[in-house]
Amino acid sequence: MRTEMKDRIRARRLQMDVTQLNLAKRLGVSRVSVTKWESGITKPDGENLHQLALALSTTPEWLLYGEGDAKQDDTKVTPFIKQPTAVPIISAVQAGHWTESFAASRLTDVITWTQTTADVSQEVFGLVVRGESMTNPNGLPSIPEGSIVIVEPNYGQLDDLYGKIVVAILDGSSEATVKKLVWDSPFAYLMPLNPSFKPIQIDGNCRIIGRVVQITQNI
């Protein structure tokens, strides 16, 4: 029995043990788009068709017409390149309020936009680093002034953040700060990478906004 394009997409996805959501993330489209492809409401075309074929390790011809082998020869498959995610850049003041409501409802706060290929949620945001406290004169890692940090608010457990770069807001301050979260028993500290600046001891006096997952800078 001859299959339709929607059947081939679904069958190949299931064969590769990939969920609709994961496939959508790989392609940089919504899960609804994948659902529509598999129900026959719409069909992928153009770049979406090409990227879908790569993600499913097959060919556009097989997806479209069922011609050739379902599984592409491994020597001919181009490695999947994750589509970049658009990231809103906001101010250090706005960062303190960004996660209090869904990010999409606060687009008036956006200063500009950047992109990331990191695995991030829809609430991701970017900050421009100000000041020299994270400039490491001894080498890497270093986050000099003007760098953009990509911040993931959904960071899991606090214990997972020790040793990581985070964005936090101290009580009494309205601006977020970028620091390395360090545990030195019995205290935790927000640690600058620049030794000219003092560590900040924290003990319930700050709120962690998110974890820095990527740093970009112009040279």
Side-chain angles (χ1 to χ4, degrees), residues 76-152:
K76 298 179 181 178
V77 173
T78 303
F80 176 77
I81 300 176
K82 186 181 184 298
Q83 294 297 309
T85 299
V87 178
I89 296 178
I90 60 177
S91 75
V93 173
Q94 292 161 340
H97 307 287
W98 184 260
T99 56
E100 293 177 1
S101 63
F102 186 60
S105 68
R106 303 186 61 81
L107 293 182
T108 54
D109 289 343
V110 176
I111 298 172
T112 185
W113 293 83
T114 187
Q115 293 182 326
T116 182
T117 54
D119 187 13
V120 293
S121 70
Q122 292 182 333
E123 295 177 343
V124 66
F125 64 90
L127 290 177
V128 178
V129 175
R130 303 299 183 193
E132 299 295 334
S133 69
M134 293 301 281
T135 301
N136 186 352
N138 300 315
L140 298 177
S142 182
I143 313 176
E145 183 173 20
S147 301
I148 297 173
V149 291
I150 307 300
V151 185
E152 173 53 67

Side-chain angles (χ1 to χ4, degrees), residues 10-209:
R10 183 174 185 274
R12 185 64 182 147
R13 176 179 63 78
L14 293 176
Q15 184 182 18
M16 297 185 67
D17 195 25
V18 177
T19 66
Q20 286 188 342
L21 180 59
N22 285 339
L23 180 59
K25 287 182 176 180
R26 292 184 188 182
L27 300 174
V29 301
S30 68
R31 184 189 61 79
V32 174
S33 295
V34 176
T35 300
K36 288 183 176 180
W37 295 342
E38 294 189 356
S39 62
I41 297 175
T42 60
K43 293 182 179 181
D45 56 10
E47 185 62 20
N48 280 338
L49 175 61
H50 180 68
Q51 292 296 334
L52 177 60
L54 290 177
L56 296 179
S57 296
T58 187
T59 64
E61 290 74 23
W62 184 82
L63 291 176
L64 286 170
Y65 313 114
E67 297 178 354
D69 294 330
K71 188 177 186 305
Q72 176 69 291
D73 187 334
D74 289 342
T75 62
K76 298 179 181 178
V77 173
T78 303
F80 176 77
I81 300 176
K82 186 181 184 298
Q83 294 297 309
T85 299
V87 178
I89 296 178
I90 60 177
S91 75
V93 173
Q94 292 161 340
H97 307 287
W98 184 260
T99 56
E100 293 177 1
S101 63
F102 186 60
S105 68
R106 303 186 61 81
L107 293 182
T108 54
D109 289 343
V110 176
I111 298 172
T112 185
W113 293 83
T114 187
Q115 293 182 326
T116 182
T117 54
D119 187 13
V120 293
S121 70
Q122 292 182 333
E123 295 177 343
V124 66
F125 64 90
L127 290 177
V128 178
V129 175
R130 303 299 183 193
E132 299 295 334
S133 69
M134 293 301 281
T135 301
N136 186 352
N138 300 315
L140 298 177
S142 182
I143 313 176
E145 183 173 20
S147 301
I148 297 173
V149 291
I150 307 300
V151 185
E152 173 53 67
N154 301 316
Y155 52 79
Q157 300 297 318
L158 180 62
D159 287 346
D160 298 331
L161 293 180
Y162 290 114
K164 309 292 186 182
I165 305 297
V166 301
V167 172
I169 290 187
L170 293 166
D171 289 351
S173 175
S174 61
E175 293 192 8
T177 183
V178 179
K179 296 290 186 292
K180 184 177 183 178
L181 182 62
V182 174
W183 174 259
D184 186 18
S185 184
F187 300 112
Y189 297 88
L190 293 176
M191 185 73 67
L193 296 180
N194 189 334
S196 298
F197 292 77
K198 294 182 178 180
I200 303 170
Q201 181 181 325
I202 58 174
D203 183 16
N205 61 339
C206 84
R207 177 163 59 100
I208 303 297
I209 301 300

